[in-house]
Amino acid sequence: MLKNEVKLRELPPLKDRLEMAEILQKEVYGYLPSVQYEMKVSEPVILERRFAKGKVHHSRVQMEISANGKIHSFAVDRLLHVDGAKRPLIIYPNFHPMGASQYFPIEELAEYDADYLVFCYKDVSSDDGDMQNGLGALLLPEGQSTPHTCGKIGIWAWAAQRVLDYGLTLPGTDAANIGVAGHSRLGKTALFCAMTDERFKYAYSNASGCAGAALARGNSGNDVDPKTKGRGETYYDIYTRFPFWFCPAFEKYTVANVGTDFDQHYLLATIAPRFLLVGSCSMDGWADPISEQLACVAASEKWEADGITGACFNEIIAPDKAYLEGRIGYFKLDSQHFMSRHGWRRFIEFIELHKTETI
Ligand code: GCU
């Protein structure tokens, strides 16, 4: 029984959603910038009309943000149906520009009953400690000036939220069915984005691992990948290489490698009573699939307390299996660290299954 496994991890008990979100912002990811800004979106340029037999066009806009006397614009690619009927909209911060990404199978996704707005995270701000490029310069003009100022995860999430502002102006957007998806560091970003913005009904994190969906307590990794020697990434590992993703206050947790009064199930539980899909990759010991699945079970109590089904699985899931019925869906791909069309298909199935459910 997974609930027993969860007990062995001796996790801090769940709290009120806002309280958990507050702790995670203060101690891990930082607070999103609260700046006065203006946003302008260019006219779309159509790049390809032939997806889904011409029913879906690929087009691009430039989103221009002005704040603190500076301007930055970044490209947002649109994969939109042209019939104007309302559909779920998925916001996807990606590693690569659309068209050049193995993590975004355009032709296949265009066949589904959803629209997509996609941007390349580095167009928003670089993936390093330079806080003064791209939106960084606008949002954090003084850099990470307090221990609780967000890092790059916060900046990328803020951008995804602005892309949603734009998405809500499009006639084909079903505002009751908005999702955010991301892989790995951008899976952490997707979870944080949904935590801080309740307009997202669905969050899908793929192999988000440490400081994402994986519990830090009882770090288990897996034995498949000899590189991880049976353990996954720790707070120390992640903060040593990527301190700029987080707020400076997070550093203090890299000694014990656990959050004194939080663990990653808090991040998942802040999404209740909405819909969360966690995807793991079976051979990805670094992201610790077992701890990702156990975090779902631990977070599930937040849904159950409201009489709603969260996670409905009781055993460690075998590779290639998916459980999508509860409001916490989980699946495991039989793969290395990767976001593939199989994961996307699970997300679309998850949305299809829950599309008519209200929050
Ligand atoms: C590194 C990092 C992970 C992260 C991953 C990625 O492996 O240690 O935490 O999820 O990069 O984003 O690809």
Side-chain angles (χ1 to χ4, degrees):
M1 284 286 286
L2 292 186
K3 290 217 167 177
N4 293 337
E5 294 273 328
V6 166
K7 266 198 199 117
L8 297 176
R9 301 260 171 144
E10 299 183 345
L11 300 172
L14 294 175
K15 296 183 182 347
D16 174 75
R17 276 195 300 277
L18 291 178
E19 226 179 300
M20 292 188 287
E22 182 65 22
I23 294 174
L24 293 177
Q25 285 174 98
K26 187 156 177 252
E27 305 299 330
V28 182
Y29 308 96
Y31 292 96
L32 283 172
S34 64
V35 289
Q36 297 281 350
Y37 64 91
E38 275 179 35
M39 184 170 115
K40 275 197 230 152
V41 184
S42 70
E43 283 301 311
V45 174
I46 296 188
L47 301 170
E48 178 59 72
R49 294 174 190 270
R50 283 177 297 178
F51 290 111
K53 300 186 196 130
K55 291 183 216 149
V56 172
H57 290 179
H58 171 202
S59 53
R60 181 172 298 152
V61 293
Q62 295 292 329
M63 286 205 25
E64 183 187 281
I65 311 278
S66 341
N68 284 311
K70 296 189 179 120
I71 298 180
H72 177 67
S73 51
F74 60 99
V76 176
D77 280 53
R78 317 179 331 157
L79 201 59
L80 302 181
H81 285 77
V82 289
D83 63 3
K86 297 220 177 282
R87 292 191 167 74
L89 175 71
I90 298 171
I91 312 288
Y92 182 49
N94 194 4
F95 282 86
H96 328 97
M98 196 155 116
S101 176
Q102 69 268 42
Y103 297 145
F104 192 82
I106 307 182
E107 283 176 70
E108 179 164 344
L109 290 173
E111 300 281 339
Y112 295 127
D113 195 25
D115 287 337
Y116 311 83
L117 293 176
V118 180
F119 63 93
C120 174
Y121 77 135
K122 285 187 182 165
D123 289 345
V124 166
S125 190
S126 62
D127 191 356
D128 57 29
D130 175 8
M131 296 292 162
Q132 296 310 314
N133 69 80
L135 283 190
L138 282 68
L139 303 179
L140 306 179
E142 281 145 37
Q144 289 186 291
S145 53
T146 81
H148 312 292
T149 306
C150 75
K152 291 293 169 95
I153 286 180
I155 294 178
W156 299 323
W158 191 91
Q161 294 171 359
R162 299 298 70 75
V163 172
L164 173 57
D165 294 343
Y166 166 63
L168 289 171
T169 68
L170 299 172
T173 298
D174 170 3
N177 278 296
I178 304 289
V180 58
H183 171 56
S184 210
R185 67 200 68 184
L186 297 172
K188 310 181 211 296
T189 304
L191 294 171
F192 177 73
C193 177
M195 175 178 95
T196 49
D197 191 335
E198 295 194 8
R199 296 174 300 173
F200 290 97
K201 175 174 167 186
Y202 311 94
Y204 161 34
S205 72
N206 191 76
S208 60
C210 179
L215 294 172
R217 281 175 175 73
N219 180 324
S220 44
N222 69 25
D223 298 328
V224 183
D225 181 353
K227 279 203 303 293
T228 65
K229 299 193 184 74
R231 76 158 174 85
E233 185 176 21
T234 62
Y235 285 165
Y236 174 82
D237 295 326
I238 202 168
Y239 194 82
T240 312
R241 292 168 65 209
F242 307 106
F244 46 85
W245 290 350
F246 305 98
C247 68
F250 188 40
E251 184 178 10
K252 61 177 171 293
Y253 301 103
T254 62
V255 181
N257 278 319
V258 294
T260 321
D261 60 349
F262 63 87
D263 206 311
Q264 295 305 126
H265 61 320
Y266 277 23
L267 179 62
L268 306 187
T270 62
I271 292 167
R274 292 170 287 153
F275 294 77
L276 165 70
L277 179 64
V278 171
S280 303
C281 303
S282 62
M283 291 176 245
D284 185 8
W286 192 237
D288 195 351
I290 291 174
S291 295
E292 291 192 310
Q293 198 187 334
L294 292 182
C296 294
V297 175
S300 186
E301 278 176 27
K302 203 68 208 160
W303 279 262
E304 288 156 18
D306 290 338
I308 302 169
T309 307
C312 53
F313 36 83
N314 275 323
E315 277 156 31
I316 294 293
I317 290 176
D320 277 339
K321 285 261 180 290
Y323 285 76
L324 306 177
E325 296 77 20
R327 288 199 181 191
I328 305 181
Y330 179 84
F331 68 87
K332 193 182 278 172
L333 294 181
D334 185 10
S335 86
Q336 304 279 0
H337 188 71
F338 192 71
M339 179 147 175
S340 77
R341 62 189 63 237
H342 301 288
W344 275 109
R345 205 171 298 147
R346 296 290 92 80
F347 189 34
I348 298 292
E349 281 166 15
F350 188 62
I351 293 175
E352 284 295 324
L353 202 57
H354 298 291
K355 205 155 69 175
T356 55
E357 290 173 49
T358 49
I359 296 163

